[in-house]
């Protein structure tokens, strides 16, 4: 969020190293915090009336049955998603469903090199002081793609280390035998080489979507890439790291999270190559968790018409990429403005989101209602489920949020496929055993 400094974010999310809390915790939490969690509101509203969701649930059920298929879920937001705590817990649940559910790790970004907080479940490192980060949510202006953030390198040389597995909770390690490096392919200032010279079979440059794809001799879980300036007399070199993709041919569920601290619809709209790169994936389910930053302002300054227009334009962009995509609109959590007053703009957003969902036959997950509505973030803060800003969540708060979304998703899935909800949820509750 633009209202919290990056150092505070790093501290807030550092506790994600706690592995034991990755397990299903909602049942044990309800006796303690049930008064602030409104379970009766925890549902994917309109999902069963949506042809897009019914189609998605059939394919998800097919994977649950052990049949091989590929489903791609995208989840976009601001700092809640950049931290990749509750989104990673959902990723882990779904990819650990059975032996055919774990697809590739997919798209990731080097947040550490961009000098902001990196998710704990993978690691990309280099000489950090040689890099500069540029977010779409601030006034900088560089080329942005799917990630909405870029890391720029302008020095003579550096080595980038990429580890697919860091502090993740998957039953099996992520491995990849293909690798996409997204960067400013319109410039050729740097030589890109792999430290393991025997690894690469071939490489293909895609100048239209700005990546180079490498094929490997075998599956690996980590790589090291050297960047070397070709011409030391070049006074204005630049390597713009826009993301990476860790690929294999595994069927299953791929879960891509895209988050930038402080991001809003207006800021993601600045990412000129977002739609072009999204076309590579054609998502089957797109979860939109943008909105808190759009409304982080006094009530008199919030432009509801502009918010609605941005939201609809974003949905239309997704539908251009995949007309059959199921889109889940999530209502932002209740929050405080500048730690002083509960933000009234969220209630306005809630109304708009319901209108848009019904117009496009999509579903809504109303976390605003689940929390308790206007002013409820203070109650969550008093129970240490949110930090003092009453915008973000504590680690346990994000764990609760993940389990709630899992419950809502499984409830809708069970109704759409005539499965026993308790048995289906029991499977995911015990998936780490």
């Amino acid at each position: 969020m633009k209202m919290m400094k990056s150092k505070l974010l790093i501290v807030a999310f550092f506790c994600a190293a706690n592995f034991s809390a990755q397990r299903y915790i909602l049942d044990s939490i309800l006796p303690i915090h049930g008064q602030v969690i409104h379970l009766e509101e925890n549902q994917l509203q309109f999902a069963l009336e949506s042809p897009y969701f019914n189609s998605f649930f059939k394919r998800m059920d097919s994977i649950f049955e052990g049949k091989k298929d590929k489903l791609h879920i995208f989840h976009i937001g601001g700092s809640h998603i950049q931290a990749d705590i509750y989104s990673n817990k959902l990723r882990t649940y779904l990819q650990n469903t059975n032996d055919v559910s774990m697809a590739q790790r997919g798209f990731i970004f080097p947040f550490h090199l961009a000098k902001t907080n990196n998710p704990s479940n993978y690691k990309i490192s280099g000489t950090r002081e040689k890099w500069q980060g540029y977010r779409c949510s601030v006034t900088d202006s560089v080329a942005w793609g799917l990630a909405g953030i870029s890391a720029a390198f302008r020095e003579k040389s550096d080595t980038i280390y990429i580890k697919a597995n860091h502090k993740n909770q998957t039953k099996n390690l992520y491995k990849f035998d293909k690798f996409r490096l997204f960067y400013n392919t319109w410039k050729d200032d740097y030589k890109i080489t792999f430290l393991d010279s025997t690894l690469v079979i071939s490489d293909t440059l895609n100048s239209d979507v700005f990546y180079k794809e490498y094929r490997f001799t075998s599956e690996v879980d980590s790589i090291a890439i050297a960047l070397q300036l070709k011409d030391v007399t070049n006074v204005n070199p630049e390597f713009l790291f826009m993301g990476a993709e860790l690929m294999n041919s595994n069927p299953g569920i791929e879960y891509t999270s895209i988050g930038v601290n402080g991001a809003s619809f207006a800021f993601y709209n600045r990412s000129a190559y977002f739609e072009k790169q999204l076309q590579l994936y054609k998502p089957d389910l797109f979860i939109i968790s943008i909105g808190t930053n759009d409304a982080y302002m006094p009530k008199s300054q919030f432009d509801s018409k502009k918010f609605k227009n941005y939201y609809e334009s974003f949905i239309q962009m997704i539908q251009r990429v995949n007309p059959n995509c199921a889109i889940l609109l999530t209502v932002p959590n209740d929050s405080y403005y500048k730690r002083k007053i509960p933000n009234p703009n969220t209630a306005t957003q809630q109304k708009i989101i319901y209108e848009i969902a019904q117009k496009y036959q999509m579903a809504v997950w109303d976390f605003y209602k689940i929390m308790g509505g206007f002013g409820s973030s203070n109650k969550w803060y008093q129970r240490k489920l949110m930090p003092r800003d009453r915008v973000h969540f504590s680690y346990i708060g994000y764990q609760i949020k993940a389990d709630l979304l899992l419950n809502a998703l499984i409830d809708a899935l069970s109704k759409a496929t005539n499965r026993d909800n308790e048995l289906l949820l029991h499977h995911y509750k015990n998936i780490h055993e």
Side-chain angles (χ1 to χ4, degrees):
M1 302 290 172
K2 57 193 174 188
M3 54 293 237
M4 179 176 279
K5 295 180 181 179
S6 58
K7 286 185 178 180
L8 292 177
L9 279 167
I10 292 169
V11 171
F13 298 135
F14 184 74
C15 55
N18 184 345
F19 289 109
S20 61
Q22 178 69 30
R23 296 174 182 272
Y24 187 89
I25 63 166
L26 191 57
D27 289 345
S28 60
I29 285 295
L30 285 176
I32 306 169
H33 299 300
Q35 290 181 342
V36 298
I37 301 171
H38 296 259
L39 281 181
E40 71 279 5
E41 304 293 352
N42 188 38
Q43 54 186 298
L44 301 190
Q45 299 188 57
F46 317 127
L48 297 181
E49 294 83 54
S50 168
Y52 309 103
F53 273 87
N54 277 291
S55 176
F56 174 79
F57 287 141
K58 286 179 182 178
R59 292 181 61 196
M60 189 173 169
D61 186 63
S62 178
I63 293 175
F64 185 84
E65 283 286 333
K67 298 175 183 177
K68 293 182 179 181
D69 194 3
K70 288 189 176 185
L71 279 180
H72 199 160
I73 299 172
F74 268 78
H75 195 166
I76 191 170
S79 55
H80 297 299
I81 306 304
Q82 179 177 327
D84 199 27
I85 298 175
Y86 92 92
S87 48
N88 184 58
K89 194 174 187 186
L90 262 294
R91 178 187 294 115
T92 304
Y93 279 131
L94 297 176
Q95 291 193 329
N96 284 0
T97 296
N98 53 32
D99 292 338
V100 297
S101 63
M102 186 174 173
Q104 64 187 20
R105 180 58 179 87
F107 187 87
I108 57 177
F109 181 81
F111 290 100
H112 178 78
L113 296 182
K115 298 181 179 178
T116 183
N117 55 300
N118 201 90
S120 64
N121 55 81
Y122 67 88
K123 190 172 185 179
I124 304 180
S125 58
T127 310
R128 198 181 190 205
E129 56 269 24
K130 293 183 177 181
W131 293 78
Q132 181 65 48
Y134 296 92
R135 290 180 286 151
C136 64
S137 55
V138 294
T139 56
D140 303 319
S141 182
V142 296
W144 293 297
L146 196 61
I149 180 171
S150 295
F153 179 75
R154 303 182 179 101
E155 303 291 332
K156 290 182 179 180
S157 64
D158 197 14
T159 302
I160 304 168
Y161 299 90
I162 300 176
K163 295 182 178 180
N165 306 283
H166 186 48
K167 296 177 180 178
N168 54 349
Q169 294 291 312
T170 54
K171 290 182 179 178
N172 301 308
L173 294 177
Y174 289 111
K175 292 187 177 181
F176 54 102
D177 56 14
K178 288 192 295 184
F179 173 74
R180 282 178 180 170
L181 181 63
F182 290 86
Y183 67 100
N184 52 335
T185 56
W186 56 88
K187 295 195 76 172
D188 190 30
D189 299 335
Y190 290 89
K191 182 181 179 181
I192 305 169
T193 56
F194 285 72
L195 264 58
D196 181 353
S197 60
T198 67
L199 184 61
V200 178
I201 298 173
S202 63
D203 62 77
T204 305
L205 183 68
N206 189 321
S207 298
D208 184 53
V209 197
F210 319 116
Y211 69 80
K212 181 175 280 190
E213 182 175 305
Y214 299 87
R215 292 177 178 268
F216 299 158
T217 55
S218 61
E219 286 192 335
V220 296
D221 62 6
S222 61
I223 54 174
I225 304 170
L227 294 179
Q228 183 68 48
L229 184 63
K230 291 181 177 180
D231 182 0
V232 294
T233 65
N234 188 339
V235 295
N236 191 31
E238 183 178 70
F239 179 85
L240 204 59
F241 197 162
M242 293 191 284
E245 187 174 4
L246 313 182
M247 307 168 67
N248 58 41
S249 58
N250 291 353
I253 300 171
E254 183 176 353
Y255 195 121
T256 300
S257 57
I258 303 168
V260 179
N261 292 343
S264 64
F265 282 114
F267 289 135
Y268 275 118
N269 195 50
R270 298 176 68 200
S271 300
Y273 307 132
F274 188 99
E275 181 175 353
K276 186 181 284 262
Q277 293 183 345
L278 186 63
Q279 289 172 357
L280 292 167
Y281 308 104
K282 301 186 184 303
D284 301 293
L285 170 64
F286 206 115
I287 306 173
I288 303 176
S289 295
I290 306 173
T292 302
N293 290 302
D294 300 75
Y296 191 76
M297 60 190 69
K299 185 176 181 180
S300 60
Q301 295 178 17
F302 179 61
D303 189 333
S304 59
K305 289 183 179 179
K306 183 179 287 187
F307 175 75
K308 185 175 183 179
N309 289 338
Y310 271 129
Y311 216 125
E312 288 202 66
S313 294
F314 199 82
I315 288 176
Q316 290 163 7
M317 181 269 294
I318 296 168
Q319 291 183 322
R320 285 195 298 271
V321 172
N322 180 10
N324 299 313
C325 183
I327 305 174
L328 178 60
L329 289 60
T330 69
V331 180
N333 56 271
D334 180 71
S335 61
Y336 266 54
Y337 178 65
K338 293 188 175 180
R339 303 186 180 184
K340 295 179 181 179
I341 58 170
N343 194 334
N345 298 326
T346 311
T348 305
Q349 291 178 310
Q350 179 192 43
K351 182 180 178 181
I352 291 168
I353 287 170
Y354 275 78
E355 291 172 355
I356 293 173
Q358 292 179 296
K359 177 178 178 178
Y360 290 90
Q361 294 183 285
M362 298 304 176
V364 173
W365 187 53
D366 194 343
F367 196 68
Y368 183 65
K369 272 187 179 180
I370 295 166
M371 286 185 69
F374 184 69
S376 58
S377 56
N378 193 49
K379 296 177 181 178
W380 281 58
Y381 162 62
Q382 290 170 353
R383 292 171 177 267
K384 298 183 179 180
L385 300 177
M386 300 182 84
R388 189 180 173 190
D389 69 358
R390 284 158 288 186
V391 173
H392 299 90
F393 293 83
S394 64
Y395 185 62
I396 193 73
Y398 280 120
Q399 292 283 303
I400 292 170
K401 193 171 183 179
D403 286 357
L404 285 166
L405 183 50
L406 174 73
N407 271 257
L409 181 66
I410 295 308
D411 180 61
L413 173 65
S414 66
K415 290 175 180 176
T417 58
N418 294 315
R419 285 192 177 273
D420 185 297
N421 179 57
E422 289 189 12
L423 287 176
L424 193 58
L425 189 57
H426 177 79
H427 173 77
Y428 286 96
K429 285 181 180 181
N430 296 280
I431 212 160
H432 293 285
E433 299 300 330

